[in-house]
Amino acid sequence: MEKKSLAAVLEEPGKIILKEFPLPEVGPDDGLLKVEMVGICSTDVKIYQGKITTYPLPLIMGHEMVGVIARIGHRAARKWKVKEGDRVVLEASTSCGACEPCLTGNYRFCEQPLGYGLKTSCNVPPHLWGAYSEYMYIAPGSVVFPVTDALAAEEAVLITGVLANSVQWLCFLGGLKMGDTVLIQGMGVQGLGAIVAAKAAGASEVIIAGLSVDRERFPLAEKLGATAIVDVEKEDLLSFIKERTRGRGIDLVLDVTGSPPSIALALEVVRKQGTIIEAGLIGGDREVPFILDRLAQKEIRIQGARSKGYAATKAAISLVESKRYPVGEMVTHLYPLKDCQEALTVAQGKEGVRPIKVAMIP
Ligand SMILES: [Zn+2]
Ligand SMILES: [Zn+2]
């Protein structure tokens, strides 16, 4: 095994350097991951652009990873039920194991400042706190899930960052039931991933709404299980939904656009006593106008959604391991670690391409 790991370090917005770090010694409670593939999250792109400044620099980004256990301590092996050579995915957040969010599986709200690719600077020993790296440290409080070797890396890499969110938002927060009608607003990777969770949960209709620029994604949306695709620049979504549902409206609307008009529209298309899951972020402290009376008139429930918890990741693993959906096709661009800067540029949608998910092979 090598003694060092090459990692991509974000020193300041727009500036990434490749740097070698010594591999950490592994004690009884921690481990080391050989990173197989890491997804580029839109959060990474915003940190790189300097639009999100809440995370400490210098930073090894990368929190959507799949890899193989390279080293593991004996207590860690027992706790996580893994051994060297096992393939795993990890949550970005670590768990302190003691606070209320952690004890209820909601470690994303844990206030301990350790985590992968976001919360912990590479100045903090043992430095390898992100997956834009050949190896990543596995800290004692990590949440580790074994996954089968039968998955393509492109499938496994979408579990924690994309499909677990889909399960959490639609099934756990949205209460999606068999036979429900679902509208997904937004055709980014989160919107497309949500199609799969909606289908698997037994939705009778999975309608996805996107822009004209999303047209090249329509065939994939259909392959993933969408029953209807609406280009909102060509077609009036409200009339479409009225006709399609015979005036009843949609049981469950998921908004992942972060666009104010979509949020206002969700209140119109949702049925009486229906649910809206709002997972899009507008940015900053912007206010969004909508007709508040709709909430009372129609007894609408609006639920915010951010990331996911333990049970959703577990469910997403079974979903992907079922191999029933071509989820790997959402990874449209792959780069080696040395081209990290280019990968981040492409992920921004510059260079005239619109990738769905960009990933790297360190
Ligand atoms: Zn992310
Ligand atoms: Zn905690």
Side-chain angles (χ1 to χ4, degrees):
M1 198 168 123
E2 296 103 296
K3 292 267 174 2
K4 289 184 170 172
S5 174
L6 192 67
V9 177
L10 180 70
E11 291 205 308
E12 55 188 76
K15 186 181 171 198
I16 285 192
I17 58 153
L18 291 175
K19 195 173 162 184
E20 275 191 334
F21 292 87
L23 290 184
E25 291 297 320
V26 166
D29 296 301
D30 52 8
L32 189 66
L33 183 80
K34 174 86 182 80
V35 181
E36 189 184 346
M37 190 178 281
V38 55
I40 294 184
C41 175
S42 58
T43 305
D44 300 353
V45 173
K46 287 177 193 145
I47 297 171
Y48 176 69
Q49 292 171 315
K51 289 183 181 166
I52 295 180
T53 54
T54 41
Y55 297 112
L57 303 185
L59 182 69
I60 302 172
M61 297 194 289
H63 59 272
E64 300 178 352
M65 70 300 270
V66 55
V68 171
I69 301 279
R71 289 274 182 274
I72 187 105
H74 68 275
R75 281 200 297 258
R78 210 165 50 223
K79 185 167 62 179
W80 295 322
K81 299 183 174 60
V82 292
K83 57 185 186 311
E84 285 175 12
D86 281 356
R87 201 179 197 200
V88 296
V89 297
L90 286 93
E91 297 288 26
S93 314
T94 61
S95 162
C96 73
C99 72
E100 184 177 338
C102 286
L103 289 170
T104 52
N106 294 302
Y107 34 77
R108 65 190 175 283
F109 292 117
C110 178
E111 283 174 12
Q112 99 162 336
L114 294 178
Y116 302 114
L118 298 167
K119 276 187 186 175
T120 312
S121 166
C122 62
N123 281 343
V124 178
H127 314 295
L128 297 172
W129 288 103
Y132 286 13
S133 173
E134 292 170 318
Y135 289 86
M136 191 183 86
Y137 177 58
I138 309 177
S142 297
V143 187
V144 179
F145 298 88
V147 295
T148 169
D149 290 337
L151 291 182
E154 287 87 343
E155 296 170 312
V157 81
L158 296 170
I159 291 171
T160 59
V162 179
L163 293 156
N165 289 340
S166 313
V167 172
Q168 173 96 7
W169 300 347
L170 290 174
C171 305
F172 297 173
L173 295 176
L176 175 57
K177 295 185 304 299
M178 194 176 292
D180 278 356
T181 51
V182 174
L183 168 68
I184 300 160
Q185 292 181 289
M187 282 191 84
V189 71
Q190 298 292 350
L192 292 167
I195 297 173
V196 173
K199 285 305 279 188
S204 60
E205 276 270 33
V206 184
I207 302 163
I208 186 161
L211 305 170
S212 296
V213 73
D214 296 322
R215 282 211 159 256
E216 60 196 32
R217 300 176 180 187
F218 289 7
L220 179 58
E222 205 176 323
K223 268 169 97 175
L224 292 169
T227 54
I229 302 165
V230 180
D231 174 348
V232 296
E233 292 175 290
K234 294 266 161 62
E235 207 166 344
D236 180 57
L237 184 61
L238 182 54
S239 339
F240 178 88
I241 297 291
K242 273 191 178 150
E243 204 183 311
R244 187 90 176 185
T245 63
R246 298 173 192 275
R248 180 175 175 271
I250 294 286
D251 290 305
L252 178 58
V253 180
L254 170 66
D255 178 70
V256 284
T257 60
S259 142
S262 299
I263 298 165
L265 188 59
L267 292 161
E268 305 303 323
V269 296
V270 74
R271 73 163 164 89
K272 292 187 183 93
Q273 297 189 304
T275 297
I276 299 169
I277 301 292
E278 184 49 61
L281 292 172
I282 309 281
D285 291 326
R286 265 179 77 191
E287 291 175 8
V288 174
F290 63 83
I291 304 169
L292 188 68
D293 280 7
R294 290 287 183 274
L295 286 186
Q297 286 161 345
K298 293 170 74 177
E299 292 190 6
I300 296 166
R301 183 167 73 97
I302 300 187
Q303 163 81 54
R306 171 197 163 195
S307 190
K308 75 307 174 171
Y310 187 85
T313 302
K314 226 166 122 267
I317 291 170
S318 341
L319 182 59
V320 176
E321 288 185 344
S322 77
K323 292 269 195 180
R324 280 187 294 151
Y325 306 92
V327 295
E329 291 184 31
M330 288 190 275
V331 178
T332 52
H333 292 71
L334 278 178
Y335 291 89
L337 186 67
K338 69 172 176 54
D339 296 335
C340 182
Q341 202 130 327
E342 188 189 340
L344 282 158
T345 308
V346 168
Q348 288 171 54
K350 289 187 176 173
E351 309 204 343
V353 282
R354 278 180 42 84
I356 298 175
K357 173 62 83 179
V358 181
M360 288 189 294
I361 302 176

